[in-house]
Amino acid sequence: MAANEIPRAGYQCKLLSRVEVAEGTLAFYFEKPSEFDFKPGQSADLTLSNPPETDSEGNTRTFSIASCPFENQLMFSTRMRDTAFKRSLRKVPMGTSVKIDPAMGSFTLHKNSAKSAVLLAGGIGITPFLSIVRQADHDRLPLRLHLFYSNRRPEDAPFLDTLRMLEKSNPNFQLVLTMTQMSQSKREWNGETGLINQEMLSRHLSNLLGPIYYIAGPPAMVAGVRKMLVGANIDEDDIRTEDFAGY
Ligand SMILES: Cc1cc2nc3c(=O)[nH]c(=O)nc-3n(C[C@H](O)[C@H](O)[C@H](O)COP(=O)(O)OP(=O)(O)OC[C@H]3O[C@@H](n4cnc5c(N)ncnc54)[C@H](O)[C@@H]3O)c2cc1C
């Protein structure tokens, strides 16, 4: 096969490790084939071959690639709901091969660094943004990034420590964390509380009308945030969304 040829059958990638990144949320690391090419923010289909169990939803799911192009592993992260696909992914032995299709999607950063990017994540919707902000830090990208990240509780919020470290290392990166159900949490919290709304955005952004907005998360969250932005007179051309259909 030529070096730049994409295998139609996808890539067989070995599972290297499984790590808990928040309550009920795991990260899965796979071998990255040398030809696997992607941009931060893209996603890929994962297919289990001969899984221990299956159901009517089948053996394939789409996941955003949460690792970065500069890294030599592929990482995906998911809420471990009680479905056949996820039970299988939790229990297959290390070294099991999973088919990973070529990266797809256009949920990638704009190029014009005169316009900042406002990234709005609901829960596991953080995955494409983790890749985007870590690669931007690695490349010293001269683009201003503002990440608003909403979760029910800190216990449920994956990658908080990584994101906090990035805020220290990248002067172009601002992190705003918000929790919507602190009454259910056992941890202390000094950040924002409540849903991402216009008032919260206005307190942290100098101008709501300049940036390009990116929203990722479960469909209901994406629809709600998009509606809020349109209500705040943000041009629909400046709003890009990634719907985690299936939640
Ligand atoms: C572009 C894109 C990127 C995505 N990126 C990610 C990602 O990075 N991480 C990620 O986790 N997911 C991501 N998803 C969603 C992912 O593809 C799955 O749909 C999702 O993880 C649900 O899979 P499942 O096996 O839990 O449910 P499925 O078995 O696929 O369930 C299908 C249906 O059953 C319902 N359902 C199943 N179990 C439950 C339950 N316990 N409670 C309520 N309803 C239930 C679901 O609402 C859904 O309608 C992405 C989707 C898209 C399209």
Side-chain angles (χ1 to χ4, degrees), residues 43-44 55 57 60-66 76-86 104 124-125 127-128 242-247:
S43 56
D55 64 15
E57 296 291 333
T60 301
R61 295 289 183 283
T62 306
F63 293 116
S64 296
I65 305 168
F76 303 89
S77 180
T78 188
R79 300 285 196 215
M80 296 308 291
R81 293 198 313 201
D82 198 17
T83 67
F85 181 94
K86 291 184 178 175
M104 60 187 177
I124 196 63
T127 47
E242 188 77 302
D243 230 56
F244 281 15
Y247 277 110

PDB file of all heavy atoms in Angstrom, residues 43-44 55 57 60-66 76-86 104 124-125 127-128 242-247, ligand 1:
ATOM      1  N   SER A  43     -13.264  13.424  14.299  1.00  0.00           N
ATOM      2  CA  SER A  43     -13.729  12.205  14.976  1.00  0.00           C
ATOM      3  C   SER A  43     -13.437  10.993  14.101  1.00  0.00           C
ATOM      4  O   SER A  43     -12.992  11.134  12.955  1.00  0.00           O
ATOM      5  CB  SER A  43     -15.230  12.313  15.258  1.00  0.00           C
ATOM      6  OG  SER A  43     -15.915  12.551  14.054  1.00  0.00           O
ATOM      7  N   ALA A  44     -13.682   9.812  14.658  1.00  0.00           N
ATOM      8  CA  ALA A  44     -13.463   8.574  13.898  1.00  0.00           C
ATOM      9  C   ALA A  44     -14.450   7.513  14.382  1.00  0.00           C
ATOM     10  O   ALA A  44     -14.893   7.548  15.537  1.00  0.00           O
ATOM     11  CB  ALA A  44     -12.026   8.075  14.099  1.00  0.00           C
ATOM     12  N   ASP A  55     -25.507  -5.689  20.634  1.00  0.00           N
ATOM     13  CA  ASP A  55     -26.954  -5.449  20.707  1.00  0.00           C
ATOM     14  C   ASP A  55     -27.421  -4.792  19.420  1.00  0.00           C
ATOM     15  O   ASP A  55     -26.646  -4.674  18.471  1.00  0.00           O
ATOM     16  CB  ASP A  55     -27.327  -4.631  21.957  1.00  0.00           C
ATOM     17  CG  ASP A  55     -26.732  -3.236  21.916  1.00  0.00           C
ATOM     18  OD1 ASP A  55     -26.289  -2.803  20.832  1.00  0.00           O
ATOM     19  OD2 ASP A  55     -26.703  -2.570  22.966  1.00  0.00           O
ATOM     20  N   GLU A  57     -27.830  -1.891  18.532  1.00  0.00           N
ATOM     21  CA  GLU A  57     -27.137  -0.665  18.096  1.00  0.00           C
ATOM     22  C   GLU A  57     -25.856  -0.986  17.315  1.00  0.00           C
ATOM     23  O   GLU A  57     -25.230  -0.089  16.751  1.00  0.00           O
ATOM     24  CB  GLU A  57     -26.790   0.229  19.292  1.00  0.00           C
ATOM     25  CG  GLU A  57     -27.991   0.767  20.059  1.00  0.00           C
ATOM     26  CD  GLU A  57     -28.800   1.800  19.271  1.00  0.00           C
ATOM     27  OE1 GLU A  57     -28.216   2.469  18.397  1.00  0.00           O
ATOM     28  OE2 GLU A  57     -30.017   1.903  19.517  1.00  0.00           O
ATOM     29  N   THR A  60     -20.322  -0.454  16.217  1.00  0.00           N
ATOM     30  CA  THR A  60     -19.575   0.750  15.818  1.00  0.00           C
ATOM     31  C   THR A  60     -20.123   1.976  16.544  1.00  0.00           C
ATOM     32  O   THR A  60     -21.333   2.121  16.689  1.00  0.00           O
ATOM     33  CB  THR A  60     -19.709   0.968  14.286  1.00  0.00           C
ATOM     34  OG1 THR A  60     -19.206  -0.193  13.622  1.00  0.00           O
ATOM     35  CG2 THR A  60     -18.928   2.188  13.823  1.00  0.00           C
ATOM     36  N   ARG A  61     -19.222   2.837  17.008  1.00  0.00           N
ATOM     37  CA  ARG A  61     -19.616   4.141  17.564  1.00  0.00           C
ATOM     38  C   ARG A  61     -18.651   5.195  17.029  1.00  0.00           C
ATOM     39  O   ARG A  61     -17.482   4.896  16.759  1.00  0.00           O
ATOM     40  CB  ARG A  61     -19.507   4.180  19.101  1.00  0.00           C
ATOM     41  CG  ARG A  61     -20.424   3.266  19.851  1.00  0.00           C
ATOM     42  CD  ARG A  61     -21.890   3.708  19.790  1.00  0.00           C
ATOM     43  NE  ARG A  61     -22.719   2.825  20.602  1.00  0.00           N
ATOM     44  CZ  ARG A  61     -23.108   1.602  20.229  1.00  0.00           C
ATOM     45  NH1 ARG A  61     -22.756   1.099  19.063  1.00  0.00           N
ATOM     46  NH2 ARG A  61     -23.856   0.876  21.046  1.00  0.00           N
ATOM     47  N   THR A  62     -19.148   6.420  16.913  1.00  0.00           N
ATOM     48  CA  THR A  62     -18.292   7.538  16.509  1.00  0.00           C
ATOM     49  C   THR A  62     -17.772   8.219  17.770  1.00  0.00           C
ATOM     50  O   THR A  62     -18.545   8.498  18.686  1.00  0.00           O
ATOM     51  CB  THR A  62     -19.118   8.565  15.703  1.00  0.00           C
ATOM     52  OG1 THR A  62     -19.746   7.892  14.622  1.00  0.00           O
ATOM     53  CG2 THR A  62     -18.253   9.691  15.192  1.00  0.00           C
ATOM     54  N   PHE A  63     -16.472   8.486  17.807  1.00  0.00           N
ATOM     55  CA  PHE A  63     -15.908   9.239  18.933  1.00  0.00           C
ATOM     56  C   PHE A  63     -14.991  10.340  18.416  1.00  0.00           C
ATOM     57  O   PHE A  63     -14.247  10.134  17.440  1.00  0.00           O
ATOM     58  CB  PHE A  63     -15.078   8.317  19.855  1.00  0.00           C
ATOM     59  CG  PHE A  63     -15.894   7.290  20.578  1.00  0.00           C
ATOM     60  CD1 PHE A  63     -15.704   5.943  20.334  1.00  0.00           C
ATOM     61  CD2 PHE A  63     -16.856   7.669  21.505  1.00  0.00           C
ATOM     62  CE1 PHE A  63     -16.462   4.979  20.999  1.00  0.00           C
ATOM     63  CE2 PHE A  63     -17.625   6.709  22.175  1.00  0.00           C
ATOM     64  CZ  PHE A  63     -17.418   5.364  21.918  1.00  0.00           C
ATOM     65  N   SER A  64     -15.015  11.469  19.083  1.00  0.00           N
ATOM     66  CA  SER A  64     -14.037  12.515  18.774  1.00  0.00           C
ATOM     67  C   SER A  64     -12.667  12.022  19.211  1.00  0.00           C
ATOM     68  O   SER A  64     -12.547  11.325  20.225  1.00  0.00           O
ATOM     69  CB  SER A  64     -14.374  13.792  19.535  1.00  0.00           C
ATOM     70  OG  SER A  64     -15.609  14.279  19.095  1.00  0.00           O
ATOM     71  N   ILE A  65     -11.650  12.406  18.468  1.00  0.00           N
ATOM     72  CA  ILE A  65     -10.285  12.002  18.830  1.00  0.00           C
ATOM     73  C   ILE A  65      -9.802  12.997  19.886  1.00  0.00           C
ATOM     74  O   ILE A  65      -9.682  14.190  19.607  1.00  0.00           O
ATOM     75  CB  ILE A  65      -9.363  11.999  17.596  1.00  0.00           C
ATOM     76  CG1 ILE A  65      -9.981  11.117  16.501  1.00  0.00           C
ATOM     77  CG2 ILE A  65      -7.960  11.525  17.976  1.00  0.00           C
ATOM     78  CD1 ILE A  65      -9.309  11.262  15.140  1.00  0.00           C
ATOM     79  N   ALA A  66      -9.583  12.500  21.086  1.00  0.00           N
ATOM     80  CA  ALA A  66      -9.254  13.406  22.201  1.00  0.00           C
ATOM     81  C   ALA A  66      -7.745  13.617  22.338  1.00  0.00           C
ATOM     82  O   ALA A  66      -7.305  14.492  23.074  1.00  0.00           O
ATOM     83  CB  ALA A  66      -9.844  12.863  23.498  1.00  0.00           C
ATOM     84  N   PHE A  76      -9.471   8.132  23.004  1.00  0.00           N
ATOM     85  CA  PHE A  76     -10.898   8.447  22.944  1.00  0.00           C
ATOM     86  C   PHE A  76     -11.418   8.374  24.367  1.00  0.00           C
ATOM     87  O   PHE A  76     -10.902   7.603  25.181  1.00  0.00           O
ATOM     88  CB  PHE A  76     -11.653   7.421  22.087  1.00  0.00           C
ATOM     89  CG  PHE A  76     -11.106   7.311  20.693  1.00  0.00           C
ATOM     90  CD1 PHE A  76     -10.073   6.414  20.396  1.00  0.00           C
ATOM     91  CD2 PHE A  76     -11.605   8.099  19.674  1.00  0.00           C
ATOM     92  CE1 PHE A  76      -9.550   6.323  19.117  1.00  0.00           C
ATOM     93  CE2 PHE A  76     -11.085   8.012  18.381  1.00  0.00           C
ATOM     94  CZ  PHE A  76     -10.058   7.125  18.107  1.00  0.00           C
ATOM     95  N   SER A  77     -12.427   9.152  24.672  1.00  0.00           N
ATOM     96  CA  SER A  77     -12.968   9.085  26.029  1.00  0.00           C
ATOM     97  C   SER A  77     -14.481   9.058  25.967  1.00  0.00           C
ATOM     98  O   SER A  77     -15.088   9.750  25.144  1.00  0.00           O
ATOM     99  CB  SER A  77     -12.486  10.303  26.827  1.00  0.00           C
ATOM    100  OG  SER A  77     -13.007  10.252  28.122  1.00  0.00           O
ATOM    101  N   THR A  78     -15.069   8.266  26.861  1.00  0.00           N
ATOM    102  CA  THR A  78     -16.527   8.131  26.820  1.00  0.00           C
ATOM    103  C   THR A  78     -17.124   7.890  28.196  1.00  0.00           C
ATOM    104  O   THR A  78     -16.481   7.347  29.089  1.00  0.00           O
ATOM    105  CB  THR A  78     -16.940   7.005  25.835  1.00  0.00           C
ATOM    106  OG1 THR A  78     -18.361   7.024  25.678  1.00  0.00           O
ATOM    107  CG2 THR A  78     -16.518   5.623  26.297  1.00  0.00           C
ATOM    108  N   ARG A  79     -18.372   8.332  28.338  1.00  0.00           N
ATOM    109  CA  ARG A  79     -19.170   7.998  29.523  1.00  0.00           C
ATOM    110  C   ARG A  79     -19.537   6.517  29.414  1.00  0.00           C
ATOM    111  O   ARG A  79     -20.077   6.088  28.371  1.00  0.00           O
ATOM    112  CB  ARG A  79     -20.477   8.806  29.546  1.00  0.00           C
ATOM    113  CG  ARG A  79     -20.308  10.311  29.584  1.00  0.00           C
ATOM    114  CD  ARG A  79     -19.883  10.804  30.931  1.00  0.00           C
ATOM    115  NE  ARG A  79     -20.077  12.223  31.085  1.00  0.00           N
ATOM    116  CZ  ARG A  79     -19.274  13.018  31.782  1.00  0.00           C
ATOM    117  NH1 ARG A  79     -18.196  12.536  32.374  1.00  0.00           N
ATOM    118  NH2 ARG A  79     -19.538  14.292  31.908  1.00  0.00           N
ATOM    119  N   MET A  80     -19.270   5.750  30.462  1.00  0.00           N
ATOM    120  CA  MET A  80     -19.467   4.302  30.384  1.00  0.00           C
ATOM    121  C   MET A  80     -20.892   3.917  30.720  1.00  0.00           C
ATOM    122  O   MET A  80     -21.171   3.402  31.806  1.00  0.00           O
ATOM    123  CB  MET A  80     -18.467   3.593  31.306  1.00  0.00           C
ATOM    124  CG  MET A  80     -17.032   3.803  30.876  1.00  0.00           C
ATOM    125  SD  MET A  80     -16.729   3.395  29.149  1.00  0.00           S
ATOM    126  CE  MET A  80     -16.915   1.630  29.199  1.00  0.00           C
ATOM    127  N   ARG A  81     -21.807   4.201  29.787  1.00  0.00           N
ATOM    128  CA  ARG A  81     -23.188   3.770  30.018  1.00  0.00           C
ATOM    129  C   ARG A  81     -23.275   2.260  29.837  1.00  0.00           C
ATOM    130  O   ARG A  81     -22.411   1.631  29.263  1.00  0.00           O
ATOM    131  CB  ARG A  81     -24.113   4.486  29.054  1.00  0.00           C
ATOM    132  CG  ARG A  81     -24.155   5.964  29.358  1.00  0.00           C
ATOM    133  CD  ARG A  81     -25.329   6.642  28.749  1.00  0.00           C
ATOM    134  NE  ARG A  81     -25.521   6.297  27.371  1.00  0.00           N
ATOM    135  CZ  ARG A  81     -26.212   7.049  26.517  1.00  0.00           C
ATOM    136  NH1 ARG A  81     -26.723   8.176  26.926  1.00  0.00           N
ATOM    137  NH2 ARG A  81     -26.391   6.664  25.282  1.00  0.00           N
ATOM    138  N   ASP A  82     -24.390   1.727  30.342  1.00  0.00           N
ATOM    139  CA  ASP A  82     -24.542   0.275  30.373  1.00  0.00           C
ATOM    140  C   ASP A  82     -25.072  -0.234  29.035  1.00  0.00           C
ATOM    141  O   ASP A  82     -26.225  -0.669  28.940  1.00  0.00           O
ATOM    142  CB  ASP A  82     -25.486  -0.085  31.543  1.00  0.00           C
ATOM    143  CG  ASP A  82     -25.356  -1.542  31.912  1.00  0.00           C
ATOM    144  OD1 ASP A  82     -24.355  -2.169  31.512  1.00  0.00           O
ATOM    145  OD2 ASP A  82     -26.269  -2.049  32.592  1.00  0.00           O
ATOM    146  N   THR A  83     -24.243  -0.147  27.986  1.00  0.00           N
ATOM    147  CA  THR A  83     -24.644  -0.669  26.669  1.00  0.00           C
ATOM    148  C   THR A  83     -23.658  -1.778  26.289  1.00  0.00           C
ATOM    149  O   THR A  83     -22.531  -1.827  26.798  1.00  0.00           O
ATOM    150  CB  THR A  83     -24.637   0.430  25.583  1.00  0.00           C
ATOM    151  OG1 THR A  83     -23.295   0.857  25.346  1.00  0.00           O
ATOM    152  CG2 THR A  83     -25.468   1.638  25.988  1.00  0.00           C
ATOM    153  N   ALA A  84     -24.082  -2.646  25.369  1.00  0.00           N
ATOM    154  CA  ALA A  84     -23.241  -3.799  25.000  1.00  0.00           C
ATOM    155  C   ALA A  84     -21.886  -3.323  24.485  1.00  0.00           C
ATOM    156  O   ALA A  84     -20.838  -3.879  24.841  1.00  0.00           O
ATOM    157  CB  ALA A  84     -23.955  -4.641  23.934  1.00  0.00           C
ATOM    158  N   PHE A  85     -21.882  -2.268  23.660  1.00  0.00           N
ATOM    159  CA  PHE A  85     -20.621  -1.766  23.090  1.00  0.00           C
ATOM    160  C   PHE A  85     -19.664  -1.347  24.213  1.00  0.00           C
ATOM    161  O   PHE A  85     -18.488  -1.704  24.224  1.00  0.00           O
ATOM    162  CB  PHE A  85     -20.924  -0.569  22.170  1.00  0.00           C
ATOM    163  CG  PHE A  85     -19.696   0.012  21.520  1.00  0.00           C
ATOM    164  CD1 PHE A  85     -19.300  -0.404  20.256  1.00  0.00           C
ATOM    165  CD2 PHE A  85     -18.938   0.983  22.158  1.00  0.00           C
ATOM    166  CE1 PHE A  85     -18.175   0.131  19.635  1.00  0.00           C
ATOM    167  CE2 PHE A  85     -17.800   1.523  21.554  1.00  0.00           C
ATOM    168  CZ  PHE A  85     -17.415   1.094  20.300  1.00  0.00           C
ATOM    169  N   LYS A  86     -20.188  -0.611  25.160  1.00  0.00           N
ATOM    170  CA  LYS A  86     -19.303  -0.069  26.214  1.00  0.00           C
ATOM    171  C   LYS A  86     -18.907  -1.130  27.240  1.00  0.00           C
ATOM    172  O   LYS A  86     -17.788  -1.109  27.748  1.00  0.00           O
ATOM    173  CB  LYS A  86     -19.954   1.160  26.849  1.00  0.00           C
ATOM    174  CG  LYS A  86     -19.984   2.304  25.834  1.00  0.00           C
ATOM    175  CD  LYS A  86     -20.524   3.594  26.360  1.00  0.00           C
ATOM    176  CE  LYS A  86     -20.450   4.647  25.231  1.00  0.00           C
ATOM    177  NZ  LYS A  86     -21.061   5.914  25.618  1.00  0.00           N
ATOM    178  N   MET A 104     -12.627  11.978  10.361  1.00  0.00           N
ATOM    179  CA  MET A 104     -13.617  12.691   9.541  1.00  0.00           C
ATOM    180  C   MET A 104     -14.125  13.915  10.289  1.00  0.00           C
ATOM    181  O   MET A 104     -13.902  14.064  11.495  1.00  0.00           O
ATOM    182  CB  MET A 104     -14.792  11.753   9.220  1.00  0.00           C
ATOM    183  CG  MET A 104     -15.491  11.264  10.462  1.00  0.00           C
ATOM    184  SD  MET A 104     -16.731  10.018  10.082  1.00  0.00           S
ATOM    185  CE  MET A 104     -17.269   9.602  11.742  1.00  0.00           C
ATOM    186  N   ILE A 124     -18.943  15.335  28.289  1.00  0.00           N
ATOM    187  CA  ILE A 124     -18.005  14.567  27.460  1.00  0.00           C
ATOM    188  C   ILE A 124     -17.728  15.290  26.130  1.00  0.00           C
ATOM    189  O   ILE A 124     -16.773  14.938  25.417  1.00  0.00           O
ATOM    190  CB  ILE A 124     -18.519  13.116  27.260  1.00  0.00           C
ATOM    191  CG1 ILE A 124     -17.414  12.200  26.749  1.00  0.00           C
ATOM    192  CG2 ILE A 124     -19.734  13.068  26.332  1.00  0.00           C
ATOM    193  CD1 ILE A 124     -16.248  12.023  27.661  1.00  0.00           C
ATOM    194  N   GLY A 125     -18.474  16.337  25.847  1.00  0.00           N
ATOM    195  CA  GLY A 125     -18.210  17.206  24.690  1.00  0.00           C
ATOM    196  C   GLY A 125     -16.853  17.893  24.775  1.00  0.00           C
ATOM    197  O   GLY A 125     -16.432  18.570  23.831  1.00  0.00           O
ATOM    198  N   THR A 127     -14.101  16.333  24.545  1.00  0.00           N
ATOM    199  CA  THR A 127     -13.075  15.555  23.824  1.00  0.00           C
ATOM    200  C   THR A 127     -12.460  16.274  22.604  1.00  0.00           C
ATOM    201  O   THR A 127     -11.238  16.332  22.506  1.00  0.00           O
ATOM    202  CB  THR A 127     -13.596  14.149  23.447  1.00  0.00           C
ATOM    203  OG1 THR A 127     -14.903  14.288  22.872  1.00  0.00           O
ATOM    204  CG2 THR A 127     -13.660  13.231  24.648  1.00  0.00           C
ATOM    205  N   PRO A 128     -13.257  16.846  21.685  1.00  0.00           N
ATOM    206  CA  PRO A 128     -12.594  17.516  20.554  1.00  0.00           C
ATOM    207  C   PRO A 128     -11.787  18.735  21.009  1.00  0.00           C
ATOM    208  O   PRO A 128     -10.739  19.051  20.446  1.00  0.00           O
ATOM    209  CB  PRO A 128     -13.764  17.933  19.640  1.00  0.00           C
ATOM    210  CG  PRO A 128     -14.975  17.931  20.518  1.00  0.00           C
ATOM    211  CD  PRO A 128     -14.732  16.894  21.570  1.00  0.00           C
ATOM    212  N   GLU A 242     -20.842  20.428  17.100  1.00  0.00           N
ATOM    213  CA  GLU A 242     -20.604  18.980  16.992  1.00  0.00           C
ATOM    214  C   GLU A 242     -21.580  18.311  17.955  1.00  0.00           C
ATOM    215  O   GLU A 242     -21.481  18.447  19.174  1.00  0.00           O
ATOM    216  CB  GLU A 242     -19.167  18.644  17.397  1.00  0.00           C
ATOM    217  CG  GLU A 242     -18.779  17.198  17.120  1.00  0.00           C
ATOM    218  CD  GLU A 242     -18.485  16.907  15.637  1.00  0.00           C
ATOM    219  OE1 GLU A 242     -19.381  17.135  14.798  1.00  0.00           O
ATOM    220  OE2 GLU A 242     -17.366  16.468  15.350  1.00  0.00           O
ATOM    221  N   ASP A 243     -22.561  17.641  17.357  1.00  0.00           N
ATOM    222  CA  ASP A 243     -23.621  16.987  18.108  1.00  0.00           C
ATOM    223  C   ASP A 243     -23.188  15.576  18.453  1.00  0.00           C
ATOM    224  O   ASP A 243     -22.935  14.786  17.558  1.00  0.00           O
ATOM    225  CB  ASP A 243     -24.790  16.866  17.122  1.00  0.00           C
ATOM    226  CG  ASP A 243     -26.059  17.360  17.688  1.00  0.00           C
ATOM    227  OD1 ASP A 243     -26.105  18.502  18.106  1.00  0.00           O
ATOM    228  OD2 ASP A 243     -27.006  16.544  17.700  1.00  0.00           O
ATOM    229  N   PHE A 244     -23.109  15.230  19.724  1.00  0.00           N
ATOM    230  CA  PHE A 244     -22.779  13.859  20.103  1.00  0.00           C
ATOM    231  C   PHE A 244     -24.066  13.029  20.043  1.00  0.00           C
ATOM    232  O   PHE A 244     -24.594  12.596  21.079  1.00  0.00           O
ATOM    233  CB  PHE A 244     -22.146  13.809  21.494  1.00  0.00           C
ATOM    234  CG  PHE A 244     -20.683  14.191  21.512  1.00  0.00           C
ATOM    235  CD1 PHE A 244     -20.100  14.830  20.451  1.00  0.00           C
ATOM    236  CD2 PHE A 244     -19.887  13.906  22.622  1.00  0.00           C
ATOM    237  CE1 PHE A 244     -18.753  15.179  20.459  1.00  0.00           C
ATOM    238  CE2 PHE A 244     -18.547  14.247  22.647  1.00  0.00           C
ATOM    239  CZ  PHE A 244     -17.970  14.883  21.560  1.00  0.00           C
ATOM    240  N   ALA A 245     -24.564  12.812  18.820  1.00  0.00           N
ATOM    241  CA  ALA A 245     -25.801  12.050  18.643  1.00  0.00           C
ATOM    242  C   ALA A 245     -25.653  10.709  19.358  1.00  0.00           C
ATOM    243  O   ALA A 245     -24.601  10.090  19.281  1.00  0.00           O
ATOM    244  CB  ALA A 245     -26.045  11.837  17.158  1.00  0.00           C
ATOM    245  N   GLY A 246     -26.677  10.265  20.054  1.00  0.00           N
ATOM    246  CA  GLY A 246     -26.576   8.994  20.792  1.00  0.00           C
ATOM    247  C   GLY A 246     -26.657   9.233  22.295  1.00  0.00           C
ATOM    248  O   GLY A 246     -26.824   8.292  23.065  1.00  0.00           O
ATOM    249  N   TYR A 247     -26.547  10.511  22.711  1.00  0.00           N
ATOM    250  CA  TYR A 247     -26.730  10.839  24.137  1.00  0.00           C
ATOM    251  C   TYR A 247     -28.091  11.472  24.337  1.00  0.00           C
ATOM    252  O   TYR A 247     -28.603  12.123  23.463  1.00  0.00           O
ATOM    253  CB  TYR A 247     -25.642  11.813  24.627  1.00  0.00           C
ATOM    254  CG  TYR A 247     -24.375  11.092  24.990  1.00  0.00           C
ATOM    255  CD1 TYR A 247     -23.235  11.219  24.216  1.00  0.00           C
ATOM    256  CD2 TYR A 247     -24.327  10.251  26.102  1.00  0.00           C
ATOM    257  CE1 TYR A 247     -22.068  10.548  24.540  1.00  0.00           C
ATOM    258  CE2 TYR A 247     -23.172   9.582  26.421  1.00  0.00           C
ATOM    259  CZ  TYR A 247     -22.044   9.724  25.640  1.00  0.00           C
ATOM    260  OH  TYR A 247     -20.909   9.055  25.960  1.00  0.00           O
TER     261      TYR A 247
HETATM  262  C1  LIG B   1     -19.251  13.354  15.668  1.00  0.00           C
HETATM  263  C2  LIG B   1     -19.518  12.597  16.962  1.00  0.00           C
HETATM  264  C3  LIG B   1     -18.560  12.600  17.956  1.00  0.00           C
HETATM  265  C4  LIG B   1     -18.793  11.906  19.156  1.00  0.00           C
HETATM  266  N1  LIG B   1     -17.823  11.918  20.111  1.00  0.00           N
HETATM  267  C5  LIG B   1     -18.036  11.249  21.272  1.00  0.00           C
HETATM  268  C6  LIG B   1     -17.024  11.226  22.284  1.00  0.00           C
HETATM  269  O1  LIG B   1     -15.931  11.781  22.138  1.00  0.00           O
HETATM  270  N2  LIG B   1     -17.307  10.546  23.424  1.00  0.00           N
HETATM  271  C7  LIG B   1     -18.509   9.924  23.607  1.00  0.00           C
HETATM  272  O2  LIG B   1     -18.702   9.343  24.675  1.00  0.00           O
HETATM  273  N3  LIG B   1     -19.462   9.916  22.688  1.00  0.00           N
HETATM  274  C8  LIG B   1     -19.255  10.560  21.512  1.00  0.00           C
HETATM  275  N4  LIG B   1     -20.229  10.544  20.543  1.00  0.00           N
HETATM  276  C9  LIG B   1     -21.469   9.778  20.802  1.00  0.00           C
HETATM  277  C10 LIG B   1     -21.194   8.272  20.580  1.00  0.00           C
HETATM  278  O3  LIG B   1     -21.084   8.020  19.191  1.00  0.00           O
HETATM  279  C11 LIG B   1     -22.309   7.381  21.161  1.00  0.00           C
HETATM  280  O4  LIG B   1     -23.503   7.659  20.501  1.00  0.00           O
HETATM  281  C12 LIG B   1     -22.521   7.618  22.633  1.00  0.00           C
HETATM  282  O5  LIG B   1     -21.304   7.427  23.323  1.00  0.00           O
HETATM  283  C13 LIG B   1     -23.612   6.680  23.161  1.00  0.00           C
HETATM  284  O6  LIG B   1     -23.229   5.353  22.943  1.00  0.00           O
HETATM  285  P1  LIG B   1     -23.823   4.204  23.874  1.00  0.00           P
HETATM  286  O7  LIG B   1     -23.185   2.923  23.493  1.00  0.00           O
HETATM  287  O8  LIG B   1     -23.739   4.658  25.298  1.00  0.00           O
HETATM  288  O9  LIG B   1     -25.357   4.212  23.519  1.00  0.00           O
HETATM  289  P2  LIG B   1     -26.097   3.455  22.308  1.00  0.00           P
HETATM  290  O10 LIG B   1     -26.119   1.997  22.516  1.00  0.00           O
HETATM  291  O11 LIG B   1     -25.511   3.969  21.030  1.00  0.00           O
HETATM  292  O12 LIG B   1     -27.519   4.054  22.544  1.00  0.00           O
HETATM  293  C14 LIG B   1     -28.337   4.445  21.517  1.00  0.00           C
HETATM  294  C15 LIG B   1     -29.623   5.005  22.071  1.00  0.00           C
HETATM  295  O13 LIG B   1     -30.061   4.451  23.317  1.00  0.00           O
HETATM  296  C16 LIG B   1     -30.127   5.437  24.324  1.00  0.00           C
HETATM  297  N5  LIG B   1     -29.454   4.949  25.570  1.00  0.00           N
HETATM  298  C17 LIG B   1     -28.583   3.929  25.657  1.00  0.00           C
HETATM  299  N6  LIG B   1     -28.183   3.756  26.933  1.00  0.00           N
HETATM  300  C18 LIG B   1     -28.818   4.669  27.655  1.00  0.00           C
HETATM  301  C19 LIG B   1     -28.813   5.004  29.029  1.00  0.00           C
HETATM  302  N7  LIG B   1     -28.070   4.337  29.922  1.00  0.00           N
HETATM  303  N8  LIG B   1     -29.581   6.042  29.421  1.00  0.00           N
HETATM  304  C20 LIG B   1     -30.330   6.714  28.522  1.00  0.00           C
HETATM  305  N9  LIG B   1     -30.379   6.437  27.220  1.00  0.00           N
HETATM  306  C21 LIG B   1     -29.640   5.443  26.787  1.00  0.00           C
HETATM  307  C22 LIG B   1     -29.367   6.595  23.770  1.00  0.00           C
HETATM  308  O14 LIG B   1     -29.932   7.838  24.162  1.00  0.00           O
HETATM  309  C23 LIG B   1     -29.481   6.456  22.293  1.00  0.00           C
HETATM  310  O15 LIG B   1     -30.623   7.072  21.783  1.00  0.00           O
HETATM  311  C24 LIG B   1     -20.020  11.212  19.351  1.00  0.00           C
HETATM  312  C25 LIG B   1     -20.972  11.201  18.342  1.00  0.00           C
HETATM  313  C26 LIG B   1     -20.735  11.881  17.157  1.00  0.00           C
HETATM  314  C27 LIG B   1     -21.774  11.834  16.075  1.00  0.00           C
END
